[in-house]
């Protein structure tokens, strides 16, 4: 008994993290490695798998549909995330002051974030319907022209950005609100005594005070937006044609509809490096500030 | 003393013949206590079947688990389970027109001829000849059966008799030229003259009806894509003109749900989609009064090659890896029995048995023009509404891109050439 317990004592630093390491290996490392191995095969699900080396990567690099997918992924992410940041800052500023019914309003504004994405997407798909949907009714009430929304190629991604912004701005607001409440109120008092306007104290006190929180929110949202699947797939399936087909949606179709598992795995490796690249870049920005 | 062995022998003979007689007899309770799992598409048939399963369980003592998934996920999960040889899956819904090239090629089907031939396993009034020839035909592989059809469906023209009459026209359009003229006469600002699917890959199951009726085919004699043939170009130019001029706004967004709700809400004067959507047009919760009162049905108008709609057949198959093929076969027979096919037909799903269509109550329940138009379509129908190759979904996607291009006003011939090239590449790439 004694020897066993002393062995445990001596090796506690390896033993205690072991369950966590095992979980990481089983849930993260193993699938990534399997995915990489799969990407070296030409495997039509239901047929035989042929080892083809890097052929899938060669094909992906010259496949116009892959480039279209990468373009759409960036277009979607870098339109949606800045927009959400602006809306999120606005909401956070609003909730950083006291007004009656604040608690209730805060709960309501968080609802889009906690609702089921597929349910949200189905409702938006109905709302976007050019003939029967409520969005065109709103436009007409405002005296504007009816729109085709997701049914028109060049409006598909902007429409999806609208949904994503509606859904995720509250999360940015939540992160920034927490940061804002950490900015000491003395700073604002001093600024007021010095005669600073509201805009000046926002620009020179609030923003510098929450800068690192902004970067964190950006990283979280950007990484998530690059991988967005549910709302795009449910509302447009990547259409019309391939107008809103992101890399993730293309990989899904390739794997689960066209059943080319090897090629789909290759596309997912592309996506992984894309997400990794953006995350590393934003993290570098964070470290510099 | 001498009599005894003789008596014993007589007794044995008697017992043996008795046993043989009981073995011959079909007994619903023979597999009492078994448990089977069927994978089902969320389809009107499944909606009908689900509440009736306890009847089968009470009759046989077999426990049935239906695993129901929406169509896309259903296809993925079924493929994974069937290809992995999962023994826990006993049967599934299948549309041979969609996957038979793959399932037969990979040897995943469980032929049921041995079960059908065994009178102790097959109910006496199964009557295979009662199924429509076109329907059971899709389950035949070189004379062997790998399942039974549950429904046969085809697309019809749904049209508003009141609007047609108000426009001074008579009856349904019989030809493609008439369809164009009717759509023109019926379209005004509030109402689209005509609508059908336009959403890429999802639209191909409907546009293929035009392709066939204009004399087009999926493949030429050498097995290459024929999507860029002159017939196919003519069919899709017709489609683009019809939809762009007289269709609803945003045609590239139209799946069946959009098409049927446009019509049910009185926003389209004519639509072309599956005949199984008739119940929507009779449901006060979904269709406005004027639609419920004035909807009529007609077969696909004739093109240069006649009226050649594709027929879709869904059915049930036993999983090749099932440990309970007999109990599964019991379930299939019961679900597709004459009596249940009548009930299915009365529920509004086009049954695969001719006797269900001949049922008197059914004939009074379903509009006569719907029955007539459907049966005409089953007679003229083409069982392959999908390309007769393995990578069906990928080819439909490539063809779907051409449909979107056509609806967006791009050059139809060019779009089809690109789709045909892509289709050839896909066929070559899938090994």
């Amino acid at each position: 008994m004694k020897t066993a317990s002393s062995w445990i004592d001596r090796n506690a630093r390896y033993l205690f993290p072991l369950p966590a390491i095992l979980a990481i290996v089983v849930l993260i490392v193993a699938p990534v490695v399997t995915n990489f191995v799969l990407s070296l095969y030409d495997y039509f699900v239901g047929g035989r798998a042929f080892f083809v080396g890097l052929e899938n990567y060669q094909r992906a690099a010259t496949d116009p549909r892959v480039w279209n997918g990468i373009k759409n992924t960036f277009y979607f992410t870098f339109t949606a995330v800045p927009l959400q940041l602006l809306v999120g800052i606005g909401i956070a500023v609003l909730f950083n002051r006291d007004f009656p019914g604040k608690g209730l309003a805060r709960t309501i504004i968080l609802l889009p974030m906690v609702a089921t994405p597929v349910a949200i997407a189905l409702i938006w798909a109905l709302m976007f319907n050019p003939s029967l949907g409520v969005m065109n009714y709103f436009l007409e009430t405002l005296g504007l022209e009816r729109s085709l929304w997701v049914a028109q190629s060049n409006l598909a991604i902007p429409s999806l950005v609208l949904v994503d912004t509606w859904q995720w701005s509250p999360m940015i607001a939540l992160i920034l609100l927490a940061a804002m409440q950490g900015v000491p109120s003395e700073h604002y008092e001093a600024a007021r005594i010095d005669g600073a306007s509201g805009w000046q104290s926002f620009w020179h006190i609030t923003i510098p005070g929450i800068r690192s929180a902004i970067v964190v929110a950006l990283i979280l949202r950007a990484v998530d937006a690059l991988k967005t699947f549910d709302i795009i797939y449910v509302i447009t399936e990547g259409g019309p044609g391939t107008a809103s087909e992101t890399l993730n949606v293309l990989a899904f179709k390739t794997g689960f509809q066209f059943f080319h598992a090897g090629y789909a795995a290759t596309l997912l490796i592309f996506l992984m490096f894309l997400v990794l690249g953006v995350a590393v870049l934003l993290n570098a920005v964070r470290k510099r500030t | 003393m001498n009599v005894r062995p003789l008596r014993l022998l007589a007794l044995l003979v008697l017992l043996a013949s008795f046993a043989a007689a009981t073995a011959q007899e079909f007994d619903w309770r023979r597999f009492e206590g078994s448990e089977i799992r069927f994978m089902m598409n969320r389809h009107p048939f499944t909606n009908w079947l689900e509440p009736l399963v306890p009847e089968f369980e009470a009759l046989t003592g077999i426990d049935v688990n239906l695993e129901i998934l929406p169509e896309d996920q259903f296809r993925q999960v079924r493929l994974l389970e069937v290809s992995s040889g999962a023994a826990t899956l006993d049967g599934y819904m299948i549309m041979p027109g969609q996957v038979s090239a793959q399932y037969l090629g990979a040897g995943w089907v469980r032929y049921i001829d041995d079960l059908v031939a065994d009178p102790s396993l097959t109910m006496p009034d199964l009557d295979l000849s009662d199924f429509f020839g076109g329907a059971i035909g899709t389950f035949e592989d070189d004379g062997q059966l790998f399942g039974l059809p549950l429904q046969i469906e085809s697309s019809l023209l749904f049209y508003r008799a009141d609007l047609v009459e108000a426009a001074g026209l008579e009856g349904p359009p019989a030809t493609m030229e008439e369809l164009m003229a009717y759509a023109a006469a019926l379209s005004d600002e509030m109402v689209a003259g005509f609508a059908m699917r336009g959403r890429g890959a999802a639209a191909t199951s409907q546009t293929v009806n035009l392709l066939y009726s204009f004399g087009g085919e999926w493949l030429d004699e050498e097995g290459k894509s024929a999507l860029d043939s002159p017939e196919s170009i003519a069919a899709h130019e017709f489609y683009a003109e019809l939809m762009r001029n007289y269709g609803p706004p945003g045609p590239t967004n139209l799946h069946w749900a959009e098409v049927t709700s446009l019509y049910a809400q009185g926003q389209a004067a004519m639509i072309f989609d599956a005949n199984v959507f008739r119940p929507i047009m009779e449901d006060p919760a979904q269709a406005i009064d004027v639609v419920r009162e004035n909807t009529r049905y007609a077969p696909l108008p004739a093109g240069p090659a006649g009226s050649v709609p594709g027929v879709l057949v869904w059915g049930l198959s036993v999983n090749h890896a099932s440990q309970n093929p007999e109990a599964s076969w019991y379930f299939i027979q019961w679900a597709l029995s004459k009596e249940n096919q009548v009930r299915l037909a009365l529920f509004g799903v086009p049954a695969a048995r001719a006797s269900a269509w001949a049922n008197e109550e059914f004939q009074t329940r379903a509009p006569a023009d719907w029955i007539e138009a459907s049966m005409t379509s089953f007679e003229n129908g083409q069982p392959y509404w999908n390309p007769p190759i393995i990578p069906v979904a990928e080819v439909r996607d490539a063809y779907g891109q051409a449909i979107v291009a056509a609806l967006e006003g791009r050059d139809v011939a060019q779009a089809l050439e690109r789709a045909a090239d892509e289709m050839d590449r896909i066929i070559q790439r899938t090994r």
Side-chain angles (χ1 to χ4, degrees), chain A residues 42 65 151 153 235 259-260, chain B residues 79 199 252 394 397 408 431:
Chain A
D42 176 4
R65 199 155 167 186
S153 287
I235 297 177
F259 300 121
H260 290 292
Chain B
L79 178 68
R199 192 164 177 169
T252 54
E394 204 176 357
D397 181 84
E408 286 184 340
R431 48 181 181 178

Side-chain angles (χ1 to χ4, degrees), chain B residues 403-427:
Chain B
I403 288 173
V404 170
L407 291 177
E408 286 184 340
R410 281 179 269 155
D411 188 82
V412 175
Q414 218 173 27
L416 285 168
E417 269 164 38
R418 201 170 311 134
D421 285 348
E422 185 62 24
M423 182 170 163
D424 286 335
R425 264 198 298 278
I426 293 165
I427 296 173

Side-chain angles (χ1 to χ4, degrees), chain B residues 285-301:
Chain B
Q286 297 185 67
I288 58 174
D289 289 351
V290 64
V291 169
R292 278 184 293 134
E293 283 153 18
N294 294 297
T295 296
R296 302 287 181 274
Y297 304 89
L300 172 71

Side-chain angles (χ1 to χ4, degrees), chain A residues 158-177:
Chain A
S159 303
L160 293 169
V161 164
L162 180 70
V163 180
D164 200 62
T165 303
W166 174 82
Q167 191 186 1
W168 290 112
S169 297
M171 190 186 91
I172 293 191
L174 200 66
I175 295 172
L176 299 188
L177 184 60

